[in-house]
Amino acid sequence: MRIIIERSNLLKSLAHVHRVVERRNTIPILSNVLVRTEDDALRLKATDLDIEITESVPATGEQAGATTVPAHLLYDIVRKLPDGSEVKLSTNDEGTQMTVSSGRSNFRLQCLPESDFPDITAGTLTHSFKIKAGELERLIERTQFAISTEETRYYLNGIFLHTIEAEGELRLRAVATDGHRLARAEMVAPAGSEGMPGIIIPRKTVGEVQKLLGDSNDDAEVTVELSDSKIRFVIGDVVMTSKLIDGTFPDYQRVIPLNNDKELTLDRQDFAAAVDRVSTISSERGRAVKLALSDQQLTLTVNSPDAGTATEELAVGYGSDDIEIGFNARYLLDITSQLSGESAVFMLADPGSPTLIKDGGDTSTLYVLMPMRV
């Protein structure tokens, strides 16, 4: 193979595909990216056997062919070449080496044959729909922080995506929980998503999709194809296919409280800043902040046996019975950072029951937070 390509185009595509390649691999071919020349285009493909990502990029083809080279090494080489330069990729007759040349720079990389490269895309995808990049990004951003990192509860290590009938219309809903907090975001279900299976998209896949969406226009259309075992995202010239988590997501609806009658309304930014300030006194990861509520006033308190005590008072909208309840400060900050409105609404029951948190500016999201003993 022999092809000439703009350095900026090659770098952008390599940035997308090389991320799925694990830096430590026991199977050598999985450290490589598949490089194939097609009609005036270069096609790149990388996989970790759970995720496969491909992208086509314009190039001047001189001789067709395909090979595989170390993904991170090729990315680092191209990244360090001068802006605006052209890169020439060519293989020797035996296909054992690829030469990467640009200006006075020349690199010879060891190749592995294309025939050894795995393909995970086999199988029929039963459902397909289109969604705006901005809408998909919002569903992910509002929920991904609550994905569990506890490997023993593997079915919580992703976002549960499903359709559900709510208020007389079909909604596409994303849910994530780690057992301590739950995040739910939804939108009107796009055409084609009717009858889709409820699926759990793995954490790594969620992160990669999020990065790809960040590079695209909010109004760009993303095609989502899925079955009960795989999902594929087509974002511009990038195609990403991923295995899904084979497990059953718990019945999250049972966790969402319906009868919490104590309503607290507060300024989101003022509250987040106050939580951040008082939690400075505690260095523990699971630091608890106590919320003491009385008529129109909230007092935040953090006690640290080593450092001392911090308190702060806020004027809030609250007219129910006095209550004291504790929460993990980090979780409170995570949730308030996802809210888009100026105000946040907390629906409380008692110090031992889950609290419902709503976004004053977005009725399509809600959060549930378990209290802590303080």
Side-chain angles (χ1 to χ4, degrees):
M1 64 169 280
R2 196 159 58 245
I3 197 163
I4 296 170
I5 185 169
E6 286 276 341
R7 177 250 181 199
S8 57
N9 290 343
L10 180 57
L11 183 65
K12 187 179 177 185
S13 290
L14 280 170
H16 292 155
V17 302
H18 93 286
R19 286 194 302 246
V20 304
V21 178
E22 299 290 346
R23 286 200 175 268
R24 288 189 180 87
N25 266 306
T26 52
I27 307 169
I29 194 74
L30 294 182
S31 297
N32 283 17
V33 58
L34 175 61
V35 181
R36 183 198 302 277
T37 57
E38 295 175 344
D39 308 324
D40 289 332
L42 182 69
R43 190 171 176 83
L44 303 168
K45 182 197 275 191
T47 185
D48 65 356
L49 295 183
D50 289 321
I51 302 172
E52 179 183 285
I53 185 163
T54 65
E55 182 167 3
S56 290
V57 57
T60 306
E62 294 181 356
Q63 187 179 336
T67 189
T68 79
V69 288
H72 290 285
L73 184 57
L74 181 60
Y75 173 72
D76 285 340
I77 288 169
V78 176
R79 183 170 57 84
K80 291 174 182 178
L81 292 175
D83 282 342
S85 60
E86 284 192 330
V87 183
K88 184 175 181 180
L89 305 177
S90 57
T91 53
N92 61 2
D93 293 339
E94 296 79 29
T96 56
Q97 280 191 337
M98 174 192 270
T99 301
V100 181
S101 54
S102 177
R104 296 180 181 181
S105 302
N106 269 284
F107 301 86
R108 280 198 180 85
L109 308 182
Q110 296 300 317
C111 300
L112 289 172
E114 174 209 5
S115 55
D116 291 355
F117 201 83
D119 182 10
I120 71 158
T121 55
T124 307
L125 298 168
T126 54
H127 290 74
S128 175
F129 58 87
K130 293 187 187 304
I131 182 172
K132 282 196 166 61
E135 291 178 331
L136 180 58
E137 190 171 25
R138 188 188 69 83
L139 287 180
I140 290 173
E141 281 187 348
R142 295 287 186 264
T143 53
Q144 58 89 24
F145 72 93
I147 295 174
S148 175
T149 54
E150 196 182 316
E151 298 302 331
T152 51
R153 302 168 79 190
Y154 65 94
Y155 48 84
L156 298 182
N157 294 164
I159 290 177
F160 181 48
L161 191 70
H162 61 298
T163 53
I164 191 164
E165 194 80 32
E167 297 173 11
E169 66 178 353
L170 194 66
R171 313 282 289 175
L172 180 65
R173 189 176 279 179
V175 181
T177 182
D178 60 4
H180 304 290
R181 59 215 167 141
L182 179 142
R184 192 192 85 188
E186 62 182 27
M187 58 175 282
V188 176
S193 62
E194 307 87 359
M196 66 171 264
I199 57 170
I200 308 171
I201 307 172
R203 186 194 315 116
K204 183 176 177 181
T205 305
V206 168
E208 291 306 319
V209 172
Q210 204 171 11
K211 287 169 192 162
L212 292 172
L213 291 170
D215 290 343
S216 58
N217 189 303
D218 277 1
D219 290 325
E221 266 197 335
V222 177
T223 301
V224 181
E225 301 169 272
L226 57 90
S227 65
D228 55 6
S229 62
K230 286 192 182 125
I231 189 165
R232 178 178 295 150
F233 299 92
V234 183
I235 306 169
D237 294 321
V238 182
V239 180
M240 188 170 118
T241 308
S242 170
K243 292 179 182 176
L244 297 168
I245 291 175
D246 182 13
T248 304
F249 201 79
D251 182 6
Y252 66 88
Q253 308 248 51
R254 291 170 52 197
V255 181
I256 300 172
L258 302 173
N259 302 314
N260 289 12
D261 55 354
K262 297 179 175 64
E263 183 173 325
L264 161 67
T265 305
L266 44 76
D267 183 283
R268 174 180 65 87
Q269 289 184 323
D270 288 351
F271 175 69
V275 171
D276 195 28
R277 276 192 292 270
V278 296
S279 62
T280 309
I281 202 90
S282 174
S283 58
E284 303 145 44
R285 279 191 62 181
R287 56 185 183 265
V289 55
K290 183 171 78 176
L291 279 59
L293 281 158
S294 54
D295 189 35
Q296 309 302 322
Q297 183 166 300
L298 167 64
T299 304
L300 301 161
T301 308
V302 171
N303 287 309
S304 168
D306 304 323
T309 306
T311 61
E312 184 161 340
E313 293 179 353
L314 282 177
V316 295
Y318 183 76
S320 299
D321 299 339
D322 292 4
I323 185 174
E324 289 188 354
I325 188 168
F327 295 110
N328 181 307
R330 179 76 261 148
Y331 294 169
L332 280 175
L333 292 172
D334 282 345
I335 291 173
T336 50
S337 71
Q338 298 305 319
L339 307 182
S340 57
E342 290 183 6
S343 63
V345 180
F346 285 61
M347 302 300 297
L348 304 125
D350 58 66
S353 300
T355 293
L356 187 66
I357 303 172
K358 296 178 180 177
D359 188 340
D362 183 3
T363 57
S364 66
T365 59
L366 65 79
Y367 303 92
V368 179
L369 187 54
M370 297 300 291
M372 289 178 75
R373 280 207 191 94
V374 286

